[in-house]
Amino acid sequence: MSDVALRAVELTKRYGRLTALDSLNLDVPAGEVFGFLGPNGAGKSTTIRLFLGLARPTAGRAEVFGVGAADVARAHRQVAYVPADVALWPQLTGAEILHLQARTGPGIDGAYRDELVERFALDPSRPARTYSTGNRQKVALIAAFATRARLLVLDEPTSGLDPLMEREFRTAVRHARDRGQTVFLSSHQLAEVEAVCDRVGILRAGRLAEVSTIGALRALHRSEVTISYTGTAPELDSVPGVAAVHPAGERQLRFTLAGPPGPALRALAAAEVAALTVREPSLEEIFLDYYGTEGVR
């Protein structure tokens, strides 16, 4: 069995003249929580459809644990999928739907499923036609997290959940990772991805802009530094890695810093720094670096 849960090799999808996905190369190791970021239209859902065998690639290939995505029957034995828009059988109750999905999938942890029903505050006795968007989402998430599938593919999974349920979702993702499951989380909810993912990939106009751990991704971008000093004002304009130096108050400076901090620290030595704070960029700020304010919606 492959230790790579998802693999894309030069994966490309065109719809006429529109290139929805352009030469994607990506490996997601087994047991990882991988965040797939991008605004609407970036190609996230197209990528998922190709991995699930729901669309045929124009070029390249997609694999699920070493099985070609085109072999849907084999690949889907190891996958639980939560789409962005959940549709349920309207006449069945939540309990009946969970029972049906348990019988058709790779098996479930029944006790954990019951625990998830309580934690997500779902009333399983009601027919699905009476469920709100958020409750339909809860049914799909409970079914996915309770499964023994090795891979969970989640496409915008919290779009209908309130903040309290989003917290339960994050707990369930961490529990899935602890159980050894792989989670592929497609989202534009940056705080959600930042909270639970080991690595992130940023997709831009069908092309992969970056793949990195969140910590390493932050290191590629500028941190904001604020200092208070009692000595001579430091000369920072020519220090490698320092930019955007501005007064931040009386005997205070604010600047951005990228790369090794050594040159900046040496320049600050004579300033007799009384206080220093460093604010790392959030994932949202990093995201905006790639897209600009017009690219996120």
Side-chain angles (χ1 to χ4, degrees), residues 89-168:
W89 296 274
Q91 303 303 322
L92 298 183
T93 66
E96 289 169 334
I97 292 169
L98 290 172
H99 178 72
L100 176 61
Q101 291 177 323
R103 294 291 299 271
T104 57
I108 65 154
D109 181 333
Y112 185 48
R113 181 188 61 189
D114 295 342
E115 178 186 333
L116 288 169
V117 168
E118 292 292 327
R119 282 170 39 191
F120 279 97
L122 176 72
D123 181 356
S125 66
R126 293 171 51 192
R129 68 175 180 273
T130 68
Y131 281 154
S132 64
T133 299
N135 279 325
R136 292 197 301 271
Q137 202 78 12
K138 289 177 186 179
V139 173
L141 287 170
I142 291 166
F145 284 126
T147 186
R148 294 192 179 98
R150 299 180 67 203
L151 170 65
L152 310 182
V153 177
L154 312 178
D155 189 5
E156 303 290 352
T158 62
S159 56
L161 301 184
D162 62 39
L164 183 61
M165 293 300 104
E166 287 180 10
R167 185 180 67 182
E168 295 297 342

Coordinates of all heavy atoms in Angstrom, one line a residue, residues 89-168:
W89 N -31.2 12.3 1.2 CA -32.5 11.7 0.9 C -33.5 12.4 1.7 O -33.5 12.2 3.0 CB -32.4 10.2 1.1 CG -31.5 9.5 0.2 CD1 -31.7 9.0 -1.1 CD2 -30.1 9.1 0.5 NE1 -30.6 8.4 -1.6 CE2 -29.6 8.5 -0.6 CE3 -29.3 9.3 1.6 CZ2 -28.3 8.0 -0.7 CZ3 -28.0 8.8 1.6 CH2 -27.5 8.2 0.4
P90 N -34.5 13.1 1.1 CA -35.4 14.0 2.0 C -36.3 13.2 2.9 O -36.7 13.7 3.9 CB -36.1 14.8 0.9 CG -36.0 14.0 -0.4 CD -34.7 13.3 -0.3
Q91 N -36.7 11.9 2.5 CA -37.6 11.2 3.3 C -37.0 10.4 4.4 O -37.7 10.0 5.4 CB -38.4 10.2 2.4 CG -39.1 10.8 1.2 CD -40.1 11.9 1.6 OE1 -40.8 11.8 2.7 NE2 -40.2 13.0 0.9
L92 N -35.7 10.2 4.4 CA -35.0 9.5 5.4 C -34.6 10.4 6.6 O -34.3 11.6 6.4 CB -33.7 8.8 4.9 CG -33.9 7.8 3.7 CD1 -32.5 7.2 3.4 CD2 -34.9 6.7 4.1
T93 N -34.6 9.8 7.8 CA -34.1 10.6 9.0 C -32.6 10.6 9.0 O -31.9 9.9 8.2 CB -34.6 9.9 10.3 OG1 -34.0 8.6 10.4 CG2 -36.1 9.8 10.3
G94 N -32.1 11.5 9.8 CA -30.6 11.6 9.9 C -30.0 10.2 10.4 O -29.0 9.8 9.8
A95 N -30.7 9.6 11.3 CA -30.2 8.3 11.8 C -30.2 7.2 10.6 O -29.3 6.4 10.5 CB -31.1 7.8 12.9
E96 N -31.3 7.2 9.8 CA -31.3 6.3 8.7 C -30.2 6.5 7.7 O -29.7 5.6 7.1 CB -32.7 6.3 8.1 CG -33.8 5.8 9.0 CD -35.2 6.1 8.4 OE1 -35.4 7.1 7.7 OE2 -36.1 5.3 8.8
I97 N -30.0 7.8 7.4 CA -28.9 8.1 6.5 C -27.6 7.7 7.0 O -26.7 7.1 6.3 CB -28.9 9.7 6.2 CG1 -30.2 10.0 5.4 CG2 -27.7 10.1 5.4 CD1 -30.5 11.5 5.3
L98 N -27.3 8.0 8.3 CA -26.0 7.5 8.9 C -25.9 6.0 8.8 O -24.8 5.5 8.6 CB -25.9 8.1 10.3 CG -25.7 9.6 10.4 CD1 -25.8 10.0 11.9 CD2 -24.4 10.0 9.9
H99 N -27.0 5.3 9.1 CA -27.0 3.9 9.0 C -26.7 3.4 7.6 O -25.9 2.5 7.4 CB -28.3 3.3 9.5 CG -28.4 1.8 9.4 ND1 -27.7 1.0 10.3 CD2 -29.1 1.0 8.6 CE1 -27.9 -0.3 10.0 NE2 -28.8 -0.3 9.0
L100 N -27.3 4.0 6.6 CA -27.1 3.6 5.2 C -25.7 3.8 4.8 O -25.1 3.0 4.1 CB -28.1 4.4 4.3 CG -27.9 4.2 2.8 CD1 -28.2 2.7 2.4 CD2 -28.9 5.1 2.1
Q101 N -25.1 5.0 5.1 CA -23.8 5.3 4.7 C -22.8 4.4 5.4 O -21.8 4.0 4.9 CB -23.5 6.8 5.1 CG -24.2 7.7 4.1 CD -24.0 9.2 4.5 OE1 -23.9 9.5 5.7 NE2 -23.9 10.0 3.5
A102 N -23.1 4.0 6.7 CA -22.2 3.0 7.4 C -22.2 1.7 6.6 O -21.1 1.0 6.6 CB -22.7 2.9 8.8
R103 N -23.3 1.2 6.1 CA -23.4 -0.1 5.4 C -22.7 -0.1 4.1 O -22.3 -1.1 3.6 CB -24.9 -0.5 5.2 CG -25.7 -0.7 6.5 CD -25.2 -2.0 7.3 NE -25.4 -3.2 6.4 CZ -26.5 -3.9 6.4 NH1 -27.5 -3.5 7.2 NH2 -26.6 -5.0 5.7
T104 N -22.7 1.1 3.4 CA -22.1 1.2 2.1 C -20.6 1.6 2.0 O -20.0 1.5 1.0 CB -22.9 2.1 1.2 OG1 -22.9 3.4 1.8 CG2 -24.3 1.7 1.0
G105 N -20.1 2.0 3.1 CA -18.7 2.5 3.2 C -17.8 1.4 3.7 O -18.1 0.2 3.8
P106 N -16.5 1.9 4.0 CA -15.5 0.9 4.5 C -15.6 0.5 6.0 O -14.7 0.0 6.6 CB -14.2 1.7 4.2 CG -14.6 3.1 4.4 CD -16.0 3.2 3.9
G107 N -16.8 0.8 6.6 CA -16.9 0.5 8.0 C -16.9 1.7 8.9 O -16.3 2.8 8.4
I108 N -17.4 1.7 10.0 CA -17.4 2.9 10.9 C -17.1 2.5 12.3 O -17.1 1.3 12.7 CB -18.8 3.6 10.9 CG1 -19.9 2.6 11.5 CG2 -19.2 4.1 9.5 CD1 -21.0 3.4 12.1
D109 N -16.8 3.5 13.1 CA -16.7 3.3 14.6 C -18.0 3.8 15.2 O -18.3 5.0 15.3 CB -15.5 4.2 15.1 CG -15.3 4.1 16.6 OD1 -16.2 3.8 17.3 OD2 -14.1 4.4 17.0
G110 N -18.9 2.9 15.5 CA -20.2 3.2 15.9 C -20.3 4.1 17.2 O -21.1 5.0 17.3
A111 N -19.4 3.7 18.2 CA -19.4 4.5 19.4 C -19.0 6.0 19.1 O -19.5 6.9 19.7 CB -18.5 3.9 20.4
Y112 N -18.0 6.1 18.3 CA -17.5 7.4 17.9 C -18.6 8.2 17.2 O -18.7 9.4 17.3 CB -16.2 7.4 17.2 CG -15.6 8.7 16.9 CD1 -15.4 9.6 17.9 CD2 -15.1 9.0 15.6 CE1 -14.8 10.9 17.6 CE2 -14.5 10.2 15.3 CZ -14.4 11.2 16.3 OH -13.8 12.4 16.1
R113 N -19.3 7.5 16.3 CA -20.4 8.2 15.5 C -21.4 8.7 16.5 O -21.9 9.9 16.4 CB -21.0 7.2 14.6 CG -22.2 7.8 13.8 CD -22.9 6.8 13.0 NE -23.5 5.8 13.9 CZ -24.1 4.7 13.4 NH1 -24.1 4.4 12.1 NH2 -24.6 3.8 14.3
D114 N -21.8 7.9 17.5 CA -22.8 8.4 18.5 C -22.2 9.6 19.3 O -23.0 10.6 19.6 CB -23.1 7.3 19.5 CG -23.8 6.1 18.8 OD1 -24.4 6.3 17.6 OD2 -23.9 5.0 19.3
E115 N -20.9 9.6 19.6 CA -20.3 10.7 20.3 C -20.4 12.0 19.4 O -20.7 13.1 19.9 CB -18.9 10.4 20.6 CG -18.1 11.5 21.3 CD -16.7 11.2 21.5 OE1 -16.3 10.0 21.6 OE2 -15.8 12.1 21.5
L116 N -20.1 11.8 18.1 CA -20.1 12.9 17.2 C -21.5 13.5 17.0 O -21.7 14.7 16.9 CB -19.6 12.5 15.8 CG -18.1 12.3 15.7 CD1 -17.8 11.6 14.4 CD2 -17.3 13.5 15.9
V117 N -22.6 12.6 17.0 CA -23.9 13.1 17.0 C -24.2 14.1 18.2 O -24.8 15.1 18.0 CB -24.9 12.0 17.0 CG1 -26.4 12.5 17.2 CG2 -24.9 11.2 15.6
E118 N -23.7 13.7 19.3 CA -23.9 14.5 20.5 C -23.1 15.8 20.4 O -23.6 16.9 20.7 CB -23.5 13.8 21.8 CG -24.4 12.6 22.1 CD -25.8 13.1 22.6 OE1 -25.9 14.1 23.2 OE2 -26.7 12.3 22.3
R119 N -21.9 15.7 20.0 CA -21.0 16.9 19.9 C -21.4 17.9 18.9 O -21.3 19.1 19.1 CB -19.5 16.4 19.7 CG -18.9 15.9 20.9 CD -17.5 15.2 20.7 NE -16.7 15.9 19.7 CZ -15.6 15.4 19.2 NH1 -15.2 14.2 19.6 NH2 -14.9 16.1 18.3
F120 N -21.9 17.4 17.8 CA -22.4 18.3 16.7 C -23.9 18.7 16.9 O -24.5 19.4 16.1 CB -22.3 17.7 15.4 CG -20.9 17.8 14.8 CD1 -19.9 16.8 14.9 CD2 -20.5 18.9 14.1 CE1 -18.7 16.9 14.4 CE2 -19.2 19.1 13.6 CZ -18.3 18.0 13.8
A121 N -24.5 18.3 18.0 CA -25.8 18.7 18.4 C -26.8 18.4 17.3 O -27.7 19.3 16.9 CB -25.9 20.2 18.8
L122 N -26.8 17.2 16.7 CA -27.7 16.8 15.6 C -28.8 16.0 16.2 O -28.6 15.1 17.0 CB -26.9 16.0 14.6 CG -27.8 15.4 13.4 CD1 -28.2 16.6 12.5 CD2 -27.0 14.3 12.7
D123 N -30.0 16.3 15.8 CA -31.2 15.5 16.1 C -31.4 14.5 15.0 O -31.9 14.8 13.9 CB -32.4 16.4 16.2 CG -33.7 15.6 16.6 OD1 -33.6 14.4 16.7 OD2 -34.7 16.2 16.8
P124 N -31.0 13.3 15.2 CA -31.0 12.3 14.1 C -32.4 11.7 13.8 O -32.6 11.0 12.9 CB -30.1 11.2 14.6 CG -30.2 11.3 16.1 CD -30.4 12.7 16.4
S125 N -33.4 12.1 14.7 CA -34.7 11.5 14.5 C -35.5 12.3 13.4 O -36.6 11.8 13.0 CB -35.5 11.5 15.8 OG -35.7 12.9 16.2
R126 N -35.0 13.4 13.0 CA -35.8 14.3 12.1 C -35.5 13.9 10.6 O -34.4 13.4 10.3 CB -35.4 15.7 12.3 CG -35.9 16.3 13.6 CD -35.3 17.7 13.8 NE -35.5 18.6 12.6 CZ -34.9 19.8 12.4 NH1 -34.0 20.2 13.3 NH2 -35.2 20.5 11.3
P127 N -36.5 14.0 9.8 CA -36.3 13.7 8.3 C -35.4 14.7 7.7 O -35.4 15.9 8.1 CB -37.7 13.7 7.7 CG -38.5 14.5 8.7 CD -37.9 14.3 10.0
A128 N -34.6 14.3 6.7 CA -33.6 15.2 6.2 C -34.2 16.4 5.5 O -33.6 17.5 5.4 CB -32.8 14.5 5.1
R129 N -35.5 16.3 5.0 CA -36.1 17.5 4.4 C -36.3 18.6 5.3 O -36.5 19.8 4.9 CB -37.5 17.1 3.8 CG -38.5 16.7 4.8 CD -39.9 16.4 4.1 NE -40.9 16.1 5.1 CZ -41.1 14.8 5.5 NH1 -40.4 13.8 5.0 NH2 -42.1 14.6 6.4
T130 N -36.3 18.4 6.6 CA -36.5 19.4 7.6 C -35.2 20.1 8.1 O -35.2 21.0 8.8 CB -37.2 18.9 8.9 OG1 -36.4 18.0 9.6 CG2 -38.5 18.2 8.5
Y131 N -34.0 19.5 7.6 CA -32.7 20.0 8.0 C -32.3 21.3 7.4 O -32.6 21.5 6.1 CB -31.6 19.0 7.8 CG -31.6 17.8 8.7 CD1 -31.1 16.6 8.4 CD2 -32.0 17.9 10.0 CE1 -31.0 15.5 9.2 CE2 -31.9 16.9 10.9 CZ -31.4 15.7 10.5 OH -31.3 14.6 11.4
S132 N -31.7 22.2 8.1 CA -31.1 23.4 7.5 C -29.8 23.0 6.8 O -29.4 21.8 6.9 CB -30.8 24.3 8.7 OG -29.8 23.8 9.5
T133 N -29.2 23.9 6.1 CA -28.0 23.7 5.4 C -26.9 23.2 6.4 O -26.2 22.3 6.1 CB -27.5 25.0 4.7 OG1 -28.4 25.4 3.8 CG2 -26.1 24.7 4.1
G134 N -26.8 23.8 7.6 CA -25.9 23.4 8.6 C -26.1 22.0 9.1 O -25.1 21.3 9.3
N135 N -27.3 21.6 9.3 CA -27.6 20.3 9.8 C -27.3 19.2 8.7 O -26.9 18.1 9.0 CB -29.0 20.2 10.3 CG -29.2 20.7 11.7 OD1 -28.3 20.6 12.5 ND2 -30.4 21.3 11.9
R136 N -27.6 19.5 7.4 CA -27.2 18.6 6.4 C -25.7 18.4 6.4 O -25.2 17.3 6.2 CB -27.7 19.1 5.0 CG -29.2 19.1 4.9 CD -29.6 19.2 3.4 NE -29.1 20.4 2.8 CZ -29.7 21.6 2.8 NH1 -30.9 21.7 3.4 NH2 -29.2 22.6 2.2
Q137 N -25.0 19.5 6.6 CA -23.5 19.5 6.6 C -23.1 18.6 7.8 O -22.1 17.8 7.7 CB -22.9 20.9 6.8 CG -21.5 21.0 6.3 CD -21.4 21.1 4.8 OE1 -22.4 21.3 4.1 NE2 -20.2 21.0 4.3
K138 N -23.7 18.7 8.9 CA -23.4 17.9 10.1 C -23.5 16.4 9.8 O -22.7 15.6 10.2 CB -24.3 18.3 11.3 CG -24.0 19.6 11.9 CD -25.0 19.9 13.0 CE -24.8 21.3 13.6 NZ -25.8 21.6 14.6
V139 N -24.6 16.0 9.1 CA -24.8 14.6 8.8 C -23.6 14.1 8.0 O -23.1 13.0 8.3 CB -26.1 14.4 8.1 CG1 -26.2 12.9 7.6 CG2 -27.3 14.7 8.9
A140 N -23.2 14.8 7.0 CA -22.1 14.4 6.1 C -20.8 14.3 6.9 O -20.0 13.4 6.7 CB -22.0 15.4 4.9
L141 N -20.6 15.3 7.8 CA -19.3 15.3 8.5 C -19.3 14.2 9.5 O -18.2 13.6 9.7 CB -19.2 16.7 9.3 CG -18.8 17.9 8.4 CD1 -18.9 19.2 9.2 CD2 -17.4 17.7 7.8
I142 N -20.4 13.9 10.2 CA -20.4 12.8 11.2 C -20.1 11.5 10.5 O -19.4 10.7 11.0 CB -21.8 12.8 11.9 CG1 -21.9 14.0 12.8 CG2 -22.0 11.5 12.7 CD1 -23.3 14.2 13.3
A143 N -20.8 11.3 9.3 CA -20.5 10.1 8.6 C -19.1 9.9 8.1 O -18.5 8.9 8.2 CB -21.5 10.1 7.3
A144 N -18.5 11.1 7.7 CA -17.1 11.0 7.3 C -16.1 10.8 8.4 O -15.2 9.9 8.4 CB -16.7 12.3 6.6
F145 N -16.3 11.5 9.5 CA -15.4 11.4 10.7 C -15.5 10.0 11.4 O -14.5 9.6 12.0 CB -15.5 12.5 11.6 CG -15.0 13.8 11.2 CD1 -15.8 15.0 11.1 CD2 -13.6 13.9 10.8 CE1 -15.2 16.2 10.7 CE2 -13.1 15.1 10.4 CZ -13.9 16.2 10.3
A146 N -16.7 9.4 11.3 CA -16.9 8.1 12.0 C -16.4 6.9 11.1 O -16.3 5.8 11.6 CB -18.3 7.9 12.3
T147 N -16.1 7.2 9.9 CA -15.7 6.1 9.0 C -14.3 5.6 9.3 O -13.5 6.4 9.9 CB -15.8 6.6 7.5 OG1 -15.6 5.5 6.7 CG2 -14.8 7.6 7.2
R148 N -14.0 4.4 8.8 CA -12.6 3.9 8.9 C -11.9 4.2 7.6 O -10.8 3.6 7.4 CB -12.7 2.4 9.2 CG -13.3 2.0 10.5 CD -13.0 0.6 10.9 NE -13.5 0.3 12.2 CZ -14.7 -0.3 12.4 NH1 -15.5 -0.6 11.4 NH2 -15.1 -0.6 13.6
A149 N -12.4 4.9 6.7 CA -11.7 5.3 5.5 C -10.4 5.9 5.8 O -10.2 6.7 6.7 CB -12.5 6.2 4.6
R150 N -9.4 5.6 5.0 CA -8.0 6.1 5.2 C -7.9 7.6 4.8 O -6.9 8.2 5.3 CB -7.0 5.2 4.5 CG -6.9 3.8 4.9 CD -5.9 3.0 4.1 NE -4.6 3.5 4.4 CZ -3.5 3.3 3.6 NH1 -3.7 2.8 2.4 NH2 -2.3 3.8 4.0
L151 N -8.7 8.0 4.0 CA -8.6 9.4 3.4 C -10.0 10.1 3.6 O -11.0 9.6 3.1 CB -8.2 9.4 2.0 CG -8.3 10.7 1.2 CD1 -7.3 11.7 1.8 CD2 -8.0 10.4 -0.3
L152 N -10.0 11.3 4.2 CA -11.1 12.1 4.2 C -10.9 13.3 3.3 O -9.9 14.1 3.5 CB -11.4 12.6 5.7 CG -11.4 11.6 6.8 CD1 -11.7 12.2 8.1 CD2 -12.4 10.5 6.5
V153 N -11.8 13.5 2.3 CA -11.7 14.7 1.4 C -12.9 15.6 1.7 O -14.0 15.2 1.6 CB -11.8 14.2 -0.1 CG1 -11.8 15.4 -1.0 CG2 -10.6 13.3 -0.4
L154 N -12.5 16.8 2.2 CA -13.5 17.7 2.7 C -13.4 19.0 1.9 O -12.4 19.7 1.9 CB -13.2 18.1 4.2 CG -12.9 16.8 5.1 CD1 -12.6 17.3 6.5 CD2 -14.1 15.9 5.1
D155 N -14.5 19.3 1.2 CA -14.6 20.5 0.3 C -15.4 21.6 0.9 O -16.7 21.4 1.0 CB -15.1 20.0 -1.1 CG -15.0 21.1 -2.1 OD1 -14.4 22.2 -1.8 OD2 -15.5 20.9 -3.3
E156 N -14.8 22.6 1.4 CA -15.5 23.7 2.1 C -16.5 23.1 3.1 O -17.7 23.4 3.1 CB -16.3 24.6 1.1 CG -15.4 25.2 0.0 CD -14.5 26.3 0.5 OE1 -14.6 26.7 1.7 OE2 -13.6 26.7 -0.3
P157 N -16.0 22.3 4.1 CA -16.9 21.6 4.9 C -17.6 22.3 6.0 O -18.6 21.8 6.6 CB -15.9 20.5 5.6 CG -14.6 21.2 5.6 CD -14.6 22.1 4.4
T158 N -17.2 23.6 6.3 CA -17.8 24.3 7.5 C -18.6 25.5 7.0 O -19.0 26.3 7.8 CB -16.8 24.8 8.5 OG1 -15.9 25.7 7.8 CG2 -16.0 23.6 9.0
S159 N -19.0 25.5 5.7 CA -19.7 26.7 5.2 C -21.0 26.9 5.8 O -21.5 28.1 5.9 CB -19.8 26.6 3.7 OG -20.5 25.4 3.3
G160 N -21.7 25.9 6.3 CA -23.0 26.1 7.0 C -23.0 26.0 8.5 O -24.0 26.0 9.1
L161 N -21.8 25.9 9.1 CA -21.7 25.7 10.5 C -21.5 27.0 11.3 O -20.9 27.9 10.8 CB -20.5 24.8 10.9 CG -20.6 23.4 10.2 CD1 -19.4 22.6 10.7 CD2 -21.9 22.7 10.5
D162 N -22.1 27.1 12.5 CA -21.8 28.2 13.4 C -20.5 28.1 14.1 O -19.9 27.0 14.0 CB -23.0 28.4 14.4 CG -23.1 27.2 15.3 OD1 -22.1 26.7 15.8 OD2 -24.3 26.8 15.6
P163 N -20.0 29.1 14.7 CA -18.6 29.1 15.3 C -18.4 28.0 16.3 O -17.4 27.4 16.4 CB -18.5 30.5 16.0 CG -19.4 31.4 15.2 CD -20.6 30.5 14.8
L164 N -19.5 27.6 17.1 CA -19.3 26.5 18.1 C -19.1 25.2 17.4 O -18.3 24.4 17.8 CB -20.6 26.5 19.0 CG -20.5 25.4 20.1 CD1 -19.4 25.7 21.0 CD2 -21.9 25.4 20.8
M165 N -19.8 25.0 16.3 CA -19.7 23.7 15.5 C -18.4 23.7 14.8 O -17.8 22.6 14.5 CB -20.9 23.6 14.6 CG -22.2 23.3 15.3 SD -22.2 21.8 16.4 CE -22.1 22.6 18.0
E166 N -17.9 24.9 14.4 CA -16.6 24.9 13.7 C -15.5 24.4 14.7 O -14.5 23.8 14.3 CB -16.3 26.3 13.2 CG -17.1 26.8 12.0 CD -16.7 28.2 11.6 OE1 -15.8 28.8 12.1 OE2 -17.5 28.7 10.8
R167 N -15.7 24.8 16.0 CA -14.7 24.3 17.0 C -14.8 22.8 17.1 O -13.7 22.1 17.2 CB -15.0 24.9 18.3 CG -14.0 24.6 19.4 CD -14.3 25.3 20.7 NE -15.6 24.7 21.3 CZ -16.1 25.2 22.4 NH1 -15.6 26.2 23.0 NH2 -17.2 24.6 22.9
E168 N -16.0 22.2 17.0 CA -16.1 20.7 17.1 C -15.5 20.1 15.8 O -14.9 19.0 15.9 CB -17.6 20.4 17.2 CG -18.2 20.8 18.5 CD -17.6 20.1 19.7 OE1 -16.9 19.1 19.6 OE2 -17.8 20.6 20.9

